[in-house]
mmCIF file of all heavy atoms in Angstrom:
data_model
loop_
_atom_site.group_PDB
_atom_site.id
_atom_site.type_symbol
_atom_site.label_atom_id
_atom_site.label_comp_id
_atom_site.label_asym_id
_atom_site.label_seq_id
_atom_site.Cartn_x
_atom_site.Cartn_y
_atom_site.Cartn_z
ATOM 1 N N GLU M 53 228.163 365.525 18.788
ATOM 2 C CA GLU M 53 229.466 365.956 19.287
ATOM 3 C C GLU M 53 229.770 367.369 18.849
ATOM 4 O O GLU M 53 229.004 367.899 17.983
ATOM 5 C CB GLU M 53 230.593 365.036 18.729
ATOM 6 C CG GLU M 53 230.457 363.536 19.034
ATOM 7 C CD GLU M 53 231.241 363.118 20.278
ATOM 8 O OE1 GLU M 53 231.948 363.948 20.883
ATOM 9 O OE2 GLU M 53 231.121 361.911 20.644
ATOM 10 N N GLN M 54 230.862 367.938 19.302
ATOM 11 C CA GLN M 54 231.293 369.242 18.835
ATOM 12 C C GLN M 54 231.586 369.102 17.313
ATOM 13 O O GLN M 54 232.272 368.149 16.905
ATOM 14 C CB GLN M 54 232.512 369.679 19.554
ATOM 15 C CG GLN M 54 232.268 370.043 21.012
ATOM 16 C CD GLN M 54 233.573 370.333 21.724
ATOM 17 O OE1 GLN M 54 234.497 369.548 21.717
ATOM 18 N NE2 GLN M 54 233.642 371.520 22.338
ATOM 19 N N THR M 55 231.160 370.060 16.526
ATOM 20 C CA THR M 55 231.334 370.002 15.078
ATOM 21 C C THR M 55 232.827 369.825 14.691
ATOM 22 O O THR M 55 233.162 369.077 13.804
ATOM 23 C CB THR M 55 230.750 371.265 14.426
ATOM 24 O OG1 THR M 55 229.384 371.334 14.772
ATOM 25 C CG2 THR M 55 230.920 371.250 12.903
ATOM 26 N N GLY M 56 233.670 370.539 15.403
ATOM 27 C CA GLY M 56 235.088 370.578 15.085
ATOM 28 C C GLY M 56 235.718 369.115 15.065
ATOM 29 O O GLY M 56 236.651 368.874 14.304
ATOM 30 N N LEU M 57 235.188 368.225 15.961
ATOM 31 C CA LEU M 57 235.734 366.906 16.018
ATOM 32 C C LEU M 57 235.649 366.237 14.654
ATOM 33 O O LEU M 57 236.597 365.557 14.204
ATOM 34 C CB LEU M 57 234.948 366.088 17.056
ATOM 35 C CG LEU M 57 235.244 364.600 17.113
ATOM 36 C CD1 LEU M 57 236.713 364.324 17.615
ATOM 37 C CD2 LEU M 57 234.258 363.821 17.980
ATOM 38 N N PHE M 58 234.499 366.327 13.973
ATOM 39 C CA PHE M 58 234.371 365.674 12.695
ATOM 40 C C PHE M 58 235.111 366.404 11.571
ATOM 41 O O PHE M 58 235.694 365.770 10.698
ATOM 42 C CB PHE M 58 232.862 365.532 12.356
ATOM 43 C CG PHE M 58 232.074 364.779 13.392
ATOM 44 C CD1 PHE M 58 231.084 365.378 14.148
ATOM 45 C CD2 PHE M 58 232.385 363.453 13.626
ATOM 46 C CE1 PHE M 58 230.384 364.691 15.083
ATOM 47 C CE2 PHE M 58 231.708 362.751 14.625
ATOM 48 C CZ PHE M 58 230.689 363.360 15.342
ATOM 49 N N ALA M 59 235.024 367.780 11.614
ATOM 50 C CA ALA M 59 235.695 368.526 10.578
ATOM 51 C C ALA M 59 237.176 368.172 10.578
ATOM 52 O O ALA M 59 237.795 367.980 9.548
ATOM 53 C CB ALA M 59 235.472 369.997 10.824
ATOM 54 N N ARG M 60 237.750 368.106 11.807
ATOM 55 C CA ARG M 60 239.157 367.846 11.958
ATOM 56 C C ARG M 60 239.562 366.434 11.545
ATOM 57 O O ARG M 60 240.611 366.274 10.926
ATOM 58 C CB ARG M 60 239.466 368.063 13.443
ATOM 59 C CG ARG M 60 240.885 367.987 13.794
ATOM 60 C CD ARG M 60 241.347 369.281 14.289
ATOM 61 N NE ARG M 60 242.800 369.367 14.120
ATOM 62 C CZ ARG M 60 243.478 370.186 14.772
ATOM 63 N NH1 ARG M 60 242.930 371.045 15.613
ATOM 64 N NH2 ARG M 60 244.803 370.226 14.628
ATOM 65 N N SER M 61 238.732 365.480 11.875
ATOM 66 C CA SER M 61 239.141 364.058 11.587
ATOM 67 C C SER M 61 238.783 363.579 10.176
ATOM 68 O O SER M 61 239.605 363.086 9.463
ATOM 69 C CB SER M 61 238.584 363.147 12.625
ATOM 70 O OG SER M 61 237.179 363.333 12.708
ATOM 71 N N ILE M 62 237.491 363.791 9.796
ATOM 72 C CA ILE M 62 237.071 363.244 8.516
ATOM 73 C C ILE M 62 237.674 364.126 7.351
ATOM 74 O O ILE M 62 237.992 363.617 6.279
ATOM 75 C CB ILE M 62 235.533 363.258 8.405
ATOM 76 C CG1 ILE M 62 234.986 362.366 9.523
ATOM 77 C CG2 ILE M 62 235.011 362.788 7.109
ATOM 78 C CD1 ILE M 62 233.505 362.509 9.767
ATOM 79 N N GLY M 63 237.890 365.432 7.642
ATOM 80 C CA GLY M 63 238.503 366.308 6.658
ATOM 81 C C GLY M 63 237.511 367.342 6.121
ATOM 82 O O GLY M 63 236.435 366.947 5.659
ATOM 83 N N GLU M 64 237.886 368.632 6.229
ATOM 84 C CA GLU M 64 237.034 369.733 5.784
ATOM 85 C C GLU M 64 236.552 369.560 4.354
ATOM 86 O O GLU M 64 235.455 369.983 4.008
ATOM 87 C CB GLU M 64 237.797 371.059 5.888
ATOM 88 C CG GLU M 64 238.284 371.458 7.246
ATOM 89 C CD GLU M 64 237.260 372.234 7.994
ATOM 90 O OE1 GLU M 64 236.099 372.380 7.524
ATOM 91 O OE2 GLU M 64 237.566 372.691 9.135
ATOM 92 N N LEU M 65 237.416 368.978 3.505
ATOM 93 C CA LEU M 65 237.088 368.973 2.077
ATOM 94 C C LEU M 65 236.289 367.741 1.641
ATOM 95 O O LEU M 65 235.910 367.622 0.454
ATOM 96 C CB LEU M 65 238.385 369.049 1.235
ATOM 97 C CG LEU M 65 239.301 370.269 1.576
ATOM 98 C CD1 LEU M 65 240.603 370.103 0.842
ATOM 99 C CD2 LEU M 65 238.600 371.518 1.114
ATOM 100 N N THR M 66 236.075 366.817 2.546
ATOM 101 C CA THR M 66 235.344 365.627 2.150
ATOM 102 C C THR M 66 233.870 365.951 1.924
ATOM 103 O O THR M 66 233.363 366.973 2.406
ATOM 104 C CB THR M 66 235.427 364.532 3.248
ATOM 105 O OG1 THR M 66 234.878 365.115 4.453
ATOM 106 C CG2 THR M 66 236.843 364.062 3.464
ATOM 107 N N ASP M 67 233.186 365.070 1.158
ATOM 108 C CA ASP M 67 231.733 365.296 0.978
ATOM 109 C C ASP M 67 231.007 365.306 2.278
ATOM 110 O O ASP M 67 230.090 366.070 2.516
ATOM 111 C CB ASP M 67 231.177 364.156 0.100
ATOM 112 C CG ASP M 67 231.539 364.323 -1.377
ATOM 113 O OD1 ASP M 67 232.107 365.403 -1.693
ATOM 114 O OD2 ASP M 67 231.313 363.397 -2.163
ATOM 115 N N ILE M 68 231.433 364.364 3.178
ATOM 116 C CA ILE M 68 230.714 364.256 4.451
ATOM 117 C C ILE M 68 230.735 365.569 5.158
ATOM 118 O O ILE M 68 229.693 366.090 5.574
ATOM 119 C CB ILE M 68 231.353 363.157 5.339
ATOM 120 C CG1 ILE M 68 231.258 361.783 4.680
ATOM 121 C CG2 ILE M 68 230.691 363.124 6.729
ATOM 122 C CD1 ILE M 68 231.870 360.651 5.473
ATOM 123 N N VAL M 69 231.894 366.154 5.363
ATOM 124 C CA VAL M 69 231.986 367.420 6.139
ATOM 125 C C VAL M 69 231.481 368.607 5.345
ATOM 126 O O VAL M 69 230.751 369.475 5.918
ATOM 127 C CB VAL M 69 233.428 367.614 6.628
ATOM 128 C CG1 VAL M 69 233.591 368.996 7.316
ATOM 129 C CG2 VAL M 69 233.847 366.505 7.575
ATOM 130 N N SER M 70 231.775 368.682 4.064
ATOM 131 C CA SER M 70 231.426 369.879 3.336
ATOM 132 C C SER M 70 229.950 369.936 2.916
ATOM 133 O O SER M 70 229.374 370.970 2.699
ATOM 134 C CB SER M 70 232.342 370.084 2.133
ATOM 135 O OG SER M 70 232.133 369.059 1.234
ATOM 136 N N LYS M 71 229.314 368.700 2.765
ATOM 137 C CA LYS M 71 227.946 368.756 2.261
ATOM 138 C C LYS M 71 226.871 368.013 3.079
ATOM 139 O O LYS M 71 225.721 368.217 2.939
ATOM 140 C CB LYS M 71 227.887 368.093 0.862
ATOM 141 C CG LYS M 71 228.755 368.701 -0.174
ATOM 142 C CD LYS M 71 228.478 367.932 -1.516
ATOM 143 C CE LYS M 71 229.615 368.129 -2.482
ATOM 144 N NZ LYS M 71 229.662 367.043 -3.478
ATOM 145 N N GLU M 72 227.344 367.055 3.894
ATOM 146 C CA GLU M 72 226.356 366.101 4.401
ATOM 147 C C GLU M 72 226.087 366.132 5.897
ATOM 148 O O GLU M 72 225.225 365.423 6.362
ATOM 149 C CB GLU M 72 226.815 364.667 4.050
ATOM 150 C CG GLU M 72 226.861 364.471 2.537
ATOM 151 C CD GLU M 72 227.614 363.212 2.163
ATOM 152 O OE1 GLU M 72 228.071 362.462 3.039
ATOM 153 O OE2 GLU M 72 227.745 362.982 0.941
ATOM 154 N N MET M 73 226.822 366.947 6.650
ATOM 155 C CA MET M 73 226.595 366.843 8.134
ATOM 156 C C MET M 73 225.357 367.594 8.592
ATOM 157 O O MET M 73 225.039 368.653 8.066
ATOM 158 C CB MET M 73 227.869 367.362 8.857
ATOM 159 C CG MET M 73 229.034 366.470 8.629
ATOM 160 S SD MET M 73 230.259 366.558 9.944
ATOM 161 C CE MET M 73 230.671 368.248 10.066
ATOM 162 N N TYR M 74 224.701 367.055 9.561
ATOM 163 C CA TYR M 74 223.645 367.718 10.296
ATOM 164 C C TYR M 74 224.275 368.563 11.382
ATOM 165 O O TYR M 74 224.567 368.071 12.489
ATOM 166 C CB TYR M 74 222.688 366.712 10.926
ATOM 167 C CG TYR M 74 221.704 366.145 9.896
ATOM 168 C CD1 TYR M 74 221.919 364.926 9.318
ATOM 169 C CD2 TYR M 74 220.534 366.897 9.550
ATOM 170 C CE1 TYR M 74 221.042 364.426 8.359
ATOM 171 C CE2 TYR M 74 219.653 366.371 8.595
ATOM 172 C CZ TYR M 74 219.891 365.190 8.036
ATOM 173 O OH TYR M 74 219.054 364.679 7.108
ATOM 174 N N THR M 75 224.519 369.849 11.062
ATOM 175 C CA THR M 75 225.227 370.696 11.947
ATOM 176 C C THR M 75 224.278 371.862 12.343
ATOM 177 O O THR M 75 223.602 372.398 11.464
ATOM 178 C CB THR M 75 226.479 371.273 11.279
ATOM 179 O OG1 THR M 75 227.330 370.182 10.986
ATOM 180 C CG2 THR M 75 227.216 372.302 12.141
ATOM 181 N N PHE M 76 224.209 372.187 13.602
ATOM 182 C CA PHE M 76 223.370 373.299 14.043
ATOM 183 C C PHE M 76 223.954 373.904 15.288
ATOM 184 O O PHE M 76 224.729 373.315 16.005
ATOM 185 C CB PHE M 76 221.953 372.818 14.222
ATOM 186 C CG PHE M 76 221.793 371.719 15.212
ATOM 187 C CD1 PHE M 76 221.509 371.937 16.540
ATOM 188 C CD2 PHE M 76 221.974 370.394 14.795
ATOM 189 C CE1 PHE M 76 221.346 370.888 17.468
ATOM 190 C CE2 PHE M 76 221.831 369.320 15.691
ATOM 191 C CZ PHE M 76 221.515 369.563 17.039
#
Side-chain angles (χ1 to χ4, degrees):
E53 299 267 356
Q54 291 173 305
T55 301
L57 171 68
F58 301 116
R60 186 115 202 200
S61 52
I62 300 167
E64 298 272 7
L65 303 172
T66 58
D67 285 352
I68 298 179
V69 174
S70 65
K71 301 186 201 155
E72 297 166 1
M73 292 206 305
Y74 280 97
T75 296
F76 55 96

